[in-house]
Structure formats: structure tokens, C-alpha cells
Amino acid sequence: MKTLDSYLVKLIKAQGPLSIAGYMAEALGNDRHGYYMKQDPFGAKGDFTTAPEISQMFGEMIGLWHATNWLNMGSPAEIHLIELGPGRGTLMQDALRAMKVVHGLREATRVHMVEMSPALRKIQQQNIPAELTPHWHNRIGDVFRQIDGAPVLLIANEFFDALPVRQFQKKDRGWHERLISLTQDEKLTLTLAPVPSPEKLIPAALHRAEEDSIAEICPVGENILMEISEYISKHGGAGIIADYGHDRHGTGDTLQALKSHEYCDILQDPGDADLTTHVNFQRLKEVAEEAGGRVYGPVGQGAFLKHLGIDARANTLMAQANATQKKDITAALHRLTDKAEMGHLFKVMALTDANLGGVIGFSTDEHK
Ligand SMILES: C[S@@+](CC[C@H](N)C(=O)[O-])C[C@H]1O[C@@H](n2cnc3c(N)ncnc32)[C@H](O)[C@@H]1O
């Protein structure tokens, strides 16, 4: 039996069934055996690829987006650039390079990485220029305490999709939480809580859903976004969230496991397969607005990148490229922006304080 498997069996025997959120938290973040805690899962040899790993253009566009925000903030002498879940640090590296084009911005920038994985922190440390004296933190609240009221620029790419969700299934007596329990021969299995949970946990728009519908909520993600929105609305700044997900409340089981670029059973390889869910952008928008932030989007990632000028950037790169590189740049541009690839399912939402004007990339009819 694999180590995390046996740990989970012991845990369930001792404490009773785990929620889906409890299972995700262990599978991804268990100190010793959690998926992100022990390895680098990215790239062709890993389990999945993300936008910044596909092309430098993605991080560069995010860097330029934040550069315009810094200028629109009146170029503060000190700005804290924070990334949540920075993976290999590739996006931050590309964004920082693009931000160099704006005079004075690099000198003003203080870099903060919010990362739970020791394995990924090591890789990030190799990729982020040491002269910027980046800081690493376990939680966003730790950053806010340290910087004490200074304005921020924040990035979260494929961070919210990795946070634990709770799932509920509608039955005739109400919404029952989906749980992970054990079969007679001590294998992990999905069950339903015998007693329904309070309906107020489920978004009101879903209360009339058909029997057997599944609703997901992400309390951890909501709390993180609330903290960010409260900080930004009070102290100033802008944040950008890019992820795959839907822009309306909806039902359905979106939890999926990925190993070596193939889908697998969510219970099959805890700690050795990535687990993600679709982000509910409508809920994130509601949370951010309730906490005082101004929200832009979500819009499709393709529309956002095109508004920021990714085609022009691709042309500039191509002008200096050989034939193979040209093919790669064209393929990456297509993958990042085409509706049938990442252009539509992946969405971008921004959050700013109420005074920040001139936010670019969202003045579009193309919301899908
Ligand atoms: C899917 S990866 C995305 C990486 C990167 N943003 C990219 O686009 O390549 C998720 C990242 O979030 C980190 N992460 C997941 N849950 C976290 C948490 N609760 N606190 C801090 N980091 C977390 C992971 O270790 C990893 O770096």
C-alpha cells in the first residue's frame, strides 16, 4: 500500500469519513506525501503544463498589465509584487523581465512568493533574480502583515483551481456532503453524508437544481480572495486571477485527477496525481465585491491576451527566430489564445481598489 493511501486509511478509521476538501488538502498538501510538496509536476515529463510554461509571452503580458497599473497608481516608490502558487517561478521571471521596460519600476519592486511546496520553492529560488531579494511566505496574510499597508500588484495563475472544494449532492431531503470513506476491505470510496447540510452553504442560484445535481464550494479560496480584496480596497493595488472555470454558478462534479497528462480516478493515486476543480468566477466576483474591491471580467484568456498585444509580441519574437522557433511561437500563440484551446475555458478576472483607473484588457464584448 502506498504511504499516503495508508495514512488516509488510518485517518478515516480514527476520525470517520473525510470531506472532499479534506481529501484534496491531504492529497495535494500533506507535509510529507502531498502531491505539490515533494515534486516538480510541470512540463512534458510531468503531469501537466500551464500557460507560463507554454510560452514566455504569457508572463510578459501579465508583467506589462501590472506595469500599466503601477503607472496609473502614480508610480509609487515601493510596490509589492506578489504571486500566489508560483509553480516554477517562470511567470514571475517573465513578468519581471517585461516590467523592465518601464523606467523606475524594477527599482520600486519588492517580490513576494506565496508557496506551500518546499520542492517548488527551491526551483523558484533558482529562477528569481537574487538582487530583487524575493521573500517566500506560506500564506497571503503573512505578506500583508509584513508589508504593513503598502500597495500591491498580485498574480494568481492556476492557483485557485488547486484549492480544496467541498461537494454536495442534492437528494429529496436536501444537500448531502460527498465524503471519502472506506469499503469493507479498506479501500477509499465515495459516499454521501446521511444527514443533509444546511442549504445556506449552497449558492442560492442552485437551490432549485434537479435531484442528484452536485454543487461545489471553495471556502479556502473564498477566504483568501476576501483577504486580498479587503487589503487592496483599503491600501491600493491590483490583482489578476487566471484559471480555468465558469463565469456563472453551475452544478456538476468538476474535480479531476491528472497523471502524466492523462485523466485518472480521483481516488487512485493520492499524492501522486494532480487534483483540480473548475473555478467558480461568479462566486469569486461576489466575494471580491462584498469585500470592497472593484472587479473586471472575467473574460476569456484569449481575448485578454489579444487586447494586451500578444500578437505583436509574437511577431517581434518571430522576427529574431529560426524556422523551428517560429513554428513553436505560432503553436504557443494558438494554444494560449484559440477558443478551442485555452482561449475560452481559461478566464481572466482582475480586482483593484476603487480609485485605480485605466485598467486595460477588459474593455471587450468578448466575455467568453
Ligand atoms: C497548478 S500549480 C500553478 C503554478 C504556476 N502558477 C503556473 O501557472 O505554472 C499550483 C501552485 O500553487 C501552489 N499551491 C497550491 N495550494 C497552495 C496553498 N494552499 N498555498 C500556497 N501555495 C499553494 C502549488 O504548490 C503550485 O505552485
Side-chain angles (χ1 to χ4, degrees):
M1 197 181 264
K2 281 177 250 115
T3 2
L4 189 58
D5 248 353
S6 44
Y7 169 76
L8 291 171
V9 169
K10 273 193 207 146
L11 189 70
I12 293 170
K13 276 164 93 175
Q15 298 181 3
L18 277 175
S19 65
I20 297 285
Y23 176 74
M24 282 183 81
E26 291 292 347
L28 298 179
N30 179 281
D31 281 352
R32 283 183 60 204
H33 307 297
Y35 178 74
Y36 282 114
M37 306 305 270
K38 58 185 184 192
Q39 64 206 333
D40 169 12
F42 299 90
K45 287 198 194 124
D47 295 314
F48 57 86
T49 304
T50 56
E53 301 298 334
I54 291 169
S55 165
Q56 68 185 77
M57 295 185 287
F58 184 79
E60 288 171 349
M61 292 299 115
I62 303 279
L64 292 177
W65 187 79
H66 267 321
T68 66
N69 292 329
W70 181 71
L71 291 169
N72 290 332
M73 289 162 84
S75 311
E78 193 173 298
I79 189 80
H80 293 267
L81 179 63
I82 307 167
E83 185 171 2
L84 295 165
R88 283 181 173 162
T90 310
L91 195 166
M92 181 60 91
Q93 204 178 9
D94 295 334
L96 285 167
R97 193 179 53 252
M99 288 164 96
K100 273 188 190 168
V101 301
V102 176
H103 179 70
L105 175 52
R106 195 161 166 105
E107 294 71 29
T109 301
R110 313 282 179 270
V111 175
H112 300 268
M113 313 285 259
V114 178
E115 176 58 70
M116 69 173 181
S117 161
L120 290 173
R121 276 187 186 204
K122 266 194 201 149
I123 300 172
Q124 292 159 16
Q125 275 154 5
Q126 287 156 16
N127 287 335
I128 305 303
E131 83 263 14
L132 288 169
T133 52
H135 287 85
W136 274 264
H137 310 263
N138 289 325
R139 275 175 285 277
I140 186 69
D142 300 339
V143 186
F144 292 152
R145 270 184 293 282
Q146 185 181 323
I147 65 178
D148 195 26
V152 298
L153 300 173
L154 185 136
I155 302 165
N157 185 60
E158 288 207 46
F159 170 73
F160 283 91
D161 71 356
L163 299 177
V165 301
R166 293 175 71 182
Q167 289 187 332
F168 302 87
Q169 189 159 27
K170 190 160 187 207
K171 294 286 170 193
D172 54 354
R173 289 199 299 136
W175 293 89
H176 296 251
E177 183 148 19
R178 294 182 97 199
L179 303 172
I180 314 275
S181 143
L182 297 177
T183 59
Q184 298 257 330
D185 56 348
E186 299 193 346
K187 296 256 167 1
L188 299 175
T189 185
L190 276 168
T191 53
L192 279 189
V195 178
S197 298
E199 194 173 45
K200 64 176 188 226
L201 287 176
I202 311 296
L206 306 181
H207 285 183
R208 289 162 162 263
E210 284 176 14
E211 191 160 334
D212 287 330
S213 299
I214 291 175
E216 293 174 345
I217 60 169
C218 185
V220 175
E222 289 182 19
N223 283 335
I224 291 173
L225 195 66
M226 189 169 60
E227 212 173 343
I228 292 169
S229 187
E230 276 173 1
Y231 186 92
I232 285 182
S233 62
K234 193 165 166 202
H235 302 293
I240 190 142
I241 297 168
D243 229 309
Y244 65 109
H246 37 270
D247 52 10
R248 297 264 175 279
H249 289 302
T251 54
D253 172 9
T254 74
L255 176 59
Q256 60 191 28
L258 207 60
K259 198 177 170 186
S260 308
H261 297 263
E262 306 256 327
Y263 293 109
C264 59
D265 188 314
I266 60 153
L267 300 179
Q268 190 182 306
D269 279 309
D272 288 318
D274 186 31
L275 293 177
T276 59
T277 61
H278 286 203
V279 169
N280 179 347
F281 278 99
Q282 183 167 4
R283 184 65 199 132
L284 290 187
K285 186 177 165 124
E286 288 164 5
V287 168
E289 286 176 345
E290 278 161 25
R294 175 183 288 179
V295 173
Y296 294 81
V299 296
Q301 176 177 291
F304 176 77
L305 292 174
K306 285 194 178 269
H307 272 255
L308 259 64
I310 195 168
D311 290 327
R313 180 62 184 141
N315 287 336
T316 309
L317 289 173
M318 295 239 236
Q320 304 143 19
N322 63 31
T324 316
Q325 290 167 332
K326 277 185 185 153
K327 252 172 102 182
D328 290 347
I329 295 165
T330 308
L333 180 65
H334 181 77
R335 193 150 168 216
L336 291 175
T337 60
D338 192 84
K339 281 187 174 178
E341 301 270 349
M342 297 174 81
H344 168 75
L345 180 61
F346 281 72
K347 300 193 170 27
V348 181
M349 188 181 107
L351 156 68
T352 70
D353 65 86
N355 299 322
L356 185 68
V359 173
I360 57 171
F362 295 92
S363 55
T364 168
D365 298 330
E366 217 294 39
H367 286 274
K368 310 286 175 198

